[in-house]
C-alpha cells in the first residue's frame, strides 16, 4: 500500500484563486512529520511547509498553509491567491518515527502538476 | 553558502559502464540521502546515511553503492550501468529527522 497518496495528477486553476492539493498518508506511528515540496520546471526541489504529528495548530508559511486532519490522515496543502509562478509539481512527503535503529528518508507521493492560468 | 552541490549535472553512460555521482554539503548536516526521480513515480530513496562512516539501504538500492567517508560528502556509485537506471538523481541533506531536507539541483543520467 502506498504511504503517501496524491489523488490529483493534474490541476488547472485560475490566477488569484485559492488552491487545495490533496494528500493522504498511511502510518501506524504516533510520531511523524509531513512535508510539502514544490518542483518548478527548472527541476529543483523547494521546501514549502512542515507539520509535525503532535502539532496542534495547522502550519502556515506565507501563502501556504497545511490543513492537517490527523484522524483522517490527511495533510492538504492550501495555496491562497495563486500566482502564475505557482505553476509546478507539488509533492507531499512523510517521515515516520525513528525505528529499528535506522532512519529512513522522506517517503514521497507521486505529485500533483499544478497549472495556474491567467 | 552553496548548500548541497551535485556533480555532474548531466551524464550519458553506455550500458555496463561505471560512474560515481558526488554530493557535497556545507551545512554540517548529519543526514544525507540519494533519491531517484522517474516520471509519474515521485522520488524514491536509494540509500541514506545518518552520519560519517554510516550508510543504509533505502527503497530501491539494487545496482547502487554509496560511501560517506567524510561528513560533507556522500557518493553514489553505479558499478555496471543499466538502461533502467536512466533517471534524475537528487542528493539531499538534513540536520535532523523532522527537519527540512535540502536538495541538490539534480543529476540527469541517461544510460544507452
Amino acid at each position: 500500500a502506498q504511504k503517501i497518496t496524491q489523488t490529483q495528477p493534474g490541476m488547472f486553476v485560475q490566477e488569484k484563486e485559492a488552491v487545495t492539493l490533496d494528500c493522504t498518508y498511511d502510518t501506524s506511528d504516533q510520531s511523524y512529520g509531513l512535508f510539502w515540496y514544490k518542483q518548478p520546471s527548472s527541476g529543483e526541489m523547494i521546501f514549502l511547509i512542515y507539520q509535525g504529528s503532535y502539532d496542534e495548530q495547522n502550519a502556515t508559511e506565507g501563502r501556504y498553509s497545511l490543513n492537517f486532519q490527523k484522524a483522517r490522515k490527511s495533510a492538504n496543502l492550501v495555496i491562497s491567491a495563486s500566482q502564475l509562478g505557482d505553476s509546478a509539481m507539488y509533492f507531499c512527503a512523510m517521515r515516520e518515527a525513528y525505528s529499528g535503529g535506522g532512519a529512513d528518508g522522506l517517503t514521497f507521493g507521486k505529485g500533483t502538476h499544478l497549472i495556474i492560468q491567467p | 553558502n552553496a548548500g548541497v552541490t551535485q556533480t555532474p549535472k548531466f551524464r550519458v553512460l553506455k550500458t555496463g559502464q561505471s560512474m560515481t555521482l558526488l554530493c557535497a554539503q556545507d551545512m554540517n548536516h548529519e543526514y544525507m540521502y540519494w533519491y531517484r526521480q522517474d516520471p509519474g513515480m515521485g522520488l524514491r530513496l536509494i540509500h541514506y546515511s545518518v552520519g560519517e562512516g554510516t550508510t543504509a539501504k533505502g527503497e530501491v538500492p539494487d545496482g547502487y553503492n554509496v560511501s560517506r567517508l567524510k561528513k560533507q560528502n556522500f557518493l553514489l556509485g553505479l558499478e555496471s550501468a543499466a538502461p533502467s537506471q536512466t533517471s534524475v538523481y537528487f542528493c539531499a541533506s538534513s540536520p535532523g529527522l523532522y527537519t527540512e531536507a535540502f536538495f541538490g539541483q539534480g543529476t540527469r543520467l541517461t544510460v544507452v
Side-chain angles (χ1 to χ4, degrees), chain A residues 42-107:
Chain A
S42 53
E44 71 267 34
M45 295 291 290
I46 302 169
F47 167 75
L48 295 178
I49 197 166
Y50 166 79
Q51 178 87 39
S53 60
Y54 293 116
D55 294 340
E56 294 186 352
Q57 291 193 329
N58 288 340
T60 61
E61 289 286 349
R63 293 187 301 114
Y64 304 107
S65 60
L66 199 152
N67 184 2
F68 182 46
Q69 298 187 39
K70 194 170 182 176
R72 297 179 60 185
K73 294 187 176 179
S74 168
N76 297 341
L77 176 71
V78 180
I79 306 174
S80 63
S82 58
Q83 303 170 355
L84 296 178
D86 293 333
S87 295
M89 284 292 292
Y90 288 80
F91 292 97
C92 179
M94 175 175 66
R95 179 188 294 286
E96 295 175 276
Y98 206 100
S99 61
D104 292 340
L106 294 171
T107 300

Side-chain angles (χ1 to χ4, degrees), chain B:
Chain B
N1 190 345
V4 179
T5 302
Q6 292 182 228
T7 308
K9 293 183 175 57
F10 302 94
R11 185 74 185 267
V12 178
L13 283 181
K14 293 183 179 179
T15 299
Q17 287 185 321
S18 64
M19 77 164 294
T20 299
L21 304 182
L22 171 63
C23 177
Q25 54 100 358
D26 61 2
M27 297 173 283
N28 201 36
H29 288 170
E30 291 292 337
Y31 302 89
M32 296 188 74
Y33 317 91
W34 276 107
Y35 291 89
R36 61 177 289 171
Q37 183 178 25
D38 302 294
M41 296 295 293
L43 279 77
R44 292 181 293 169
L45 183 66
I46 305 171
H47 286 280
Y48 63 96
S49 168
V50 301
E52 180 179 316
T54 74
T55 63
K57 294 180 180 179
E59 180 186 356
V60 289
D62 294 342
Y64 306 95
N65 56 76
V66 288
S67 65
R68 186 140 180 232
L69 300 179
K70 293 183 178 180
K71 186 176 184 179
Q72 64 267 33
N73 295 337
F74 195 29
L75 279 62
L76 178 71
L78 286 73
E79 290 185 348
S80 179
S84 61
Q85 294 178 303
T86 293
S87 188
V88 178
Y89 291 85
F90 284 97
C91 176
S93 71
S94 67
L97 285 178
Y98 298 109
T99 56
E100 170 192 353
F102 294 80
F103 283 80
Q105 75 273 40
T107 296
R108 186 173 295 275
L109 174 66
T110 302
V111 183
V112 297

Side-chain angles (χ1 to χ4, degrees), chain A residues 27-49:
Chain A
T27 181
S28 56
D29 289 339
Q30 295 302 309
S31 180
Y32 52 89
L34 296 158
F35 302 77
W36 277 93
Y37 281 84
K38 172 184 179 181
Q39 186 179 42
S41 58
S42 53
E44 71 267 34
M45 295 291 290
I46 302 169
F47 167 75
L48 295 178
I49 197 166

Side-chain angles (χ1 to χ4, degrees), chain A residues 104-116:
Chain A
D104 292 340
L106 294 171
T107 300
F108 284 82
K110 295 183 178 182
T112 295
H113 189 191
L114 175 65
I115 297 175
I116 307 298

